[in-house]
Amino acid sequence: MLLSWIQPMTLLDYPGKVAAIIFTAGCNFRCPFCYNPDFVLPEKLKETMKDLIPEKAFFNFLEKRKEFLEGIVICWWEPTIQKDLYDFVKKIKSFWLLVKLDTNGQDPEILKKLIDENLVDYVAMDIKDSLENYELSWIKNLDMKPYLESIKILMEWKVDYEFRTTIIQWHHTKAKIEQIAKAIKWAKKYCLQNFEWKGKLLDPDFKGKRFTKKELEAMKEIVLRYVEICEIRT
Ligand code: SF4
């Protein structure tokens, strides 16, 4: 596994659990608002390879900290593009820890396998845009089939899950949010994450204003027509 960073503890990223985060490296998307291009773009990744964390170091960390943790979050950039994700998760599970997987949904096959074998306990899947027009992935002519399949798998409710969208003020209109909410009708949870500019972005010229509280509440009201829980993250 290509591992870029360990966050030793979080109370926010795994709902209701004390967890550590392991950040992977590499992604198939090119979202302009991605916070760390060094671990996304292949040319930059080549330069940062020397800074990656050996898997052994991560498991040594787990050995030392497992008593204090309830779970591990495997996230950014896109964990499912790595061929050894299955073995990696299995090894984490041998520490008797819960596993949360954050994914953009690009590989329904590994997602299904991990769920069917009870190797993941919580999945957070990004839905970047309305499913008719996924332009915010910044990939031209994206084949939507795998993403739709991943949504379907999660909607079977075999694992605890949430869908989430990083919302960009000039792009995610109420109509777009309604389109997404309709597409995941009856889903358990949909989170709206208010985009906040935090320095280095994949597209350095990308700008995004935050939604106001009133705008967010109006979106939440729309989402709740279709989805059981809507959480706003600011
Ligand atoms: S925001 Fe997520 S899905 Fe988009 S490029 Fe970055 S890591 Fe990939």
Side-chain angles (χ1 to χ4, degrees):
M1 286 288 285
L2 299 181
L3 305 174
S4 56
W5 188 44
I6 301 172
Q7 184 171 321
M9 202 180 86
T10 173
L11 300 174
L12 299 174
D13 295 78
Y14 194 141
K17 306 286 176 207
V18 180
I21 309 179
I22 183 69
F23 292 82
T24 61
C27 185
N28 60 320
F29 277 0
R30 296 289 177 267
C31 310
F33 49 83
C34 189
Y35 290 133
N36 200 336
D38 294 353
F39 291 109
V40 175
L41 302 171
E43 63 279 16
K44 300 230 173 184
L45 194 53
K46 248 191 235 164
E47 289 165 27
T48 39
M49 279 304 244
K50 60 176 182 356
D51 302 324
L52 294 182
I53 297 166
E55 224 179 278
K56 195 165 179 284
F58 170 67
F59 285 108
N60 286 344
F61 159 83
L62 273 197
E63 190 55 55
K64 282 191 206 132
R65 297 296 300 262
K66 62 182 179 200
E67 314 296 330
F68 307 101
L69 297 169
E70 292 170 276
I72 297 295
V73 179
I74 308 173
C75 72
W76 286 37
W77 280 234
E78 176 49 46
T80 64
I81 63 169
Q82 301 205 33
K83 296 291 164 240
D84 45 357
L85 178 66
Y86 176 82
D87 295 330
F88 182 68
V89 176
K90 250 189 138 171
K91 206 161 164 195
I92 296 176
K93 275 296 189 191
S94 70
F95 288 80
W96 298 99
L97 288 164
L98 298 169
V99 172
K100 172 175 178 264
L101 177 70
D102 290 5
T103 178
N104 65 23
Q106 65 93 36
D107 188 343
E109 211 175 295
I110 185 70
L111 182 63
K112 187 170 178 346
K113 192 168 174 187
L114 292 171
I115 293 171
D116 286 349
E117 295 187 27
N118 294 318
L119 292 173
V120 282
D121 305 278
Y122 195 106
V123 178
M125 178 178 159
D126 286 348
I127 299 183
K128 304 280 175 197
D129 214 337
S130 71
L131 299 171
E132 291 77 26
N133 180 3
Y134 224 59
E135 62 187 270
L136 265 193
S137 65
W138 251 245
I139 301 286
K140 296 259 177 286
N141 305 319
L142 183 73
D143 174 11
M144 283 304 292
K145 259 192 240 139
Y147 303 91
L148 297 174
E149 184 58 29
S150 292
I151 290 174
K152 212 168 122 206
I153 291 167
L154 292 182
M155 300 269 291
E156 286 171 4
W157 287 59
K158 286 187 184 161
V159 71
D160 209 0
Y161 70 95
E162 68 182 44
F163 295 114
R164 59 193 191 178
T165 301
T166 298
I167 45 174
I168 313 295
Q169 205 256 1
W170 52 263
H171 181 82
H172 289 102
T173 57
K174 280 194 267 183
K176 267 187 190 278
I177 293 300
E178 181 155 21
Q179 278 172 349
I180 300 174
K182 260 188 198 168
I184 54 168
K185 193 174 178 184
W186 311 120
K188 186 180 174 195
K189 190 170 170 186
Y190 180 38
C191 305
L192 301 174
Q193 307 180 142
N194 207 1
F195 169 77
E196 187 178 10
W197 184 81
K198 278 190 191 161
K200 204 170 175 186
L201 300 181
L202 195 139
D203 174 355
D205 297 324
F206 187 84
K207 298 274 176 289
K209 256 174 51 193
R210 287 165 66 74
F211 282 98
T212 62
K213 198 167 176 247
K214 203 169 156 201
E215 288 168 327
L216 292 168
E217 285 305 325
M219 281 185 177
K220 183 174 176 175
E221 212 179 295
I222 292 169
V223 170
L224 286 174
R225 290 181 203 149
Y226 305 95
V227 171
E228 198 180 319
I229 302 166
C230 177
E231 202 176 291
I232 289 172
R233 294 178 183 156
T234 54

